[in-house]
Amino acid sequence: MADWKALETELALWRESGQQATLWWRDDDAERPSDALEQLIEISDRFHVPLALATIPAGAEASLAERVKQASAVSVLQHGFSHLSHVPPSERKCELGNHRPLAEITDELGKGQAKLAELFGDAFLPVLVPPWNRLGEQVIDALPGLGFTGLSTLGPRSCKQKRLIEVNVHADLINWKAGRCFAGEERSLAQIITHLQQRRLGEVDSSEPTGVMTHHLVHDEGVWAFLPQLFDLTLKAGAHWCTAKEIFS
Ligand SMILES: [Zn+2]
């Protein structure tokens, strides 16, 4: 059973093998400051855990840039363009798929990148986080030409991306199907422990930091309680929480 003790045990195995466990934190859907964003940044500051904020360009406001500039360890990634789905309602939601001309998608992504670079300056990294963690192959192929250096979706990375640094997330703390509530300690810890274990055993790319994905706008008490516990335990166990700059450059 996945519990806090099991996470401690896994991290102890990393230490015994002479390796430092690496993790990173990605939070999605930022557009403007809110009470939830304040709470998120407070936790990041309190534990000195870097926060990568996947920000929606179309809705990104200057007030968010002001807030990010005051935070000590927040960087900004690009979360699609407008976070609108362009597929028929019967299909899984997707903004960057094959349902509209590639030029329309690349035009939007370019505009979004320029806006975020201007708003956030050095805090922005040209790393694409596709909404719903999915995008078309031809969009991936176009990313380097648009100036993107990185890509982040969900699940252990493949070895295919030669011209992009791909670093994904591996744990989703939200249960979307059950009404956007905390996925629960057991499921969240199981996802984190599974990826750490697969890396340690060489079953997946061992150099990909284990990514924890959050969505501050829908956090309930369960998520807010889980994060400090996760940071506290992992830091005490010698794990390293990477900055986006560390993993995407
Ligand atoms: Zn999103």
Side-chain angles (χ1 to χ4, degrees):
M1 197 184 107
D3 55 17
W4 294 106
K5 187 79 207 143
L7 179 57
E8 262 180 345
T9 303
E10 177 58 29
L11 291 171
L13 290 169
W14 274 76
R15 287 196 307 276
E16 282 162 27
S17 71
Q19 288 178 285
Q20 187 175 40
T22 47
L23 299 112
W24 76 295
W25 179 20
R26 196 189 94 197
D27 183 274
D28 292 2
D29 300 347
E31 290 179 311
R32 63 187 65 86
S34 61
D35 291 346
L37 186 79
E38 283 308 313
Q39 200 165 343
L40 200 75
I41 294 176
E42 186 275 321
I43 294 173
S44 164
D45 285 344
R46 183 166 17 129
F47 291 93
H48 304 288
V49 168
L51 170 63
L53 214 49
T55 301
I56 304 168
E61 296 181 2
S63 54
L64 179 64
E66 288 310 310
R67 184 62 190 91
V68 163
K69 276 170 199 163
Q70 290 159 19
S72 53
V74 178
S75 44
V76 170
L77 313 179
Q78 180 171 344
H79 198 30
F81 176 67
S82 62
H83 213 298
L84 294 175
S85 180
H86 294 269
V87 302
S90 59
E91 290 180 36
R92 278 147 61 98
K93 287 181 180 172
C94 189
E95 181 182 16
L96 309 174
N98 304 323
H99 291 76
R100 49 190 185 133
L102 179 62
E104 197 178 307
I105 294 174
T106 54
D107 185 51
E108 283 187 356
L109 289 177
K111 275 186 206 154
Q113 189 193 100
K115 179 176 173 183
L116 295 184
E118 192 185 328
L119 275 178
F120 295 95
D122 288 346
F124 172 64
L125 301 178
V127 172
L128 182 69
V129 179
W132 301 286
N133 290 299
R134 56 182 78 98
L135 77 173
E137 281 293 328
Q138 85 281 26
V139 180
I140 296 177
D141 292 342
L143 293 178
L146 290 167
F148 286 96
T149 57
L151 175 66
S152 180
T153 64
L154 179 69
R157 68 182 170 200
S158 62
C159 299
K160 279 187 283 178
Q161 313 308 339
K162 294 269 186 292
R163 298 186 299 158
L164 287 169
I165 300 169
E166 182 184 356
V167 185
N168 298 334
V169 290
H170 311 88
D172 182 355
L173 300 197
I174 303 295
N175 184 338
W176 299 94
K177 287 180 185 151
R180 304 177 164 204
C181 56
F182 179 37
E185 249 177 39
E186 185 170 354
R187 190 175 107 177
S188 304
L189 288 169
Q191 290 177 343
I192 295 167
I193 294 166
T194 298
H195 189 243
L196 285 167
Q197 194 172 45
Q198 287 175 335
R199 289 170 63 196
R200 185 172 50 77
L201 299 174
E203 294 168 4
V204 297
D205 186 341
S206 62
S207 63
E208 182 183 18
T210 298
V212 175
M213 173 173 63
T214 60
H215 284 80
H216 64 280
L217 293 171
V218 300
H219 286 184
D220 57 16
E221 285 309 313
V223 183
W224 290 126
F226 181 83
L227 287 173
Q229 231 178 321
L230 176 68
F231 296 147
D232 188 51
L233 184 149
T234 49
L235 290 167
K236 282 178 180 157
H240 173 65
W241 286 85
C242 307
T243 65
K245 281 208 172 79
E246 278 176 273
I247 57 182
F248 287 108
S249 54

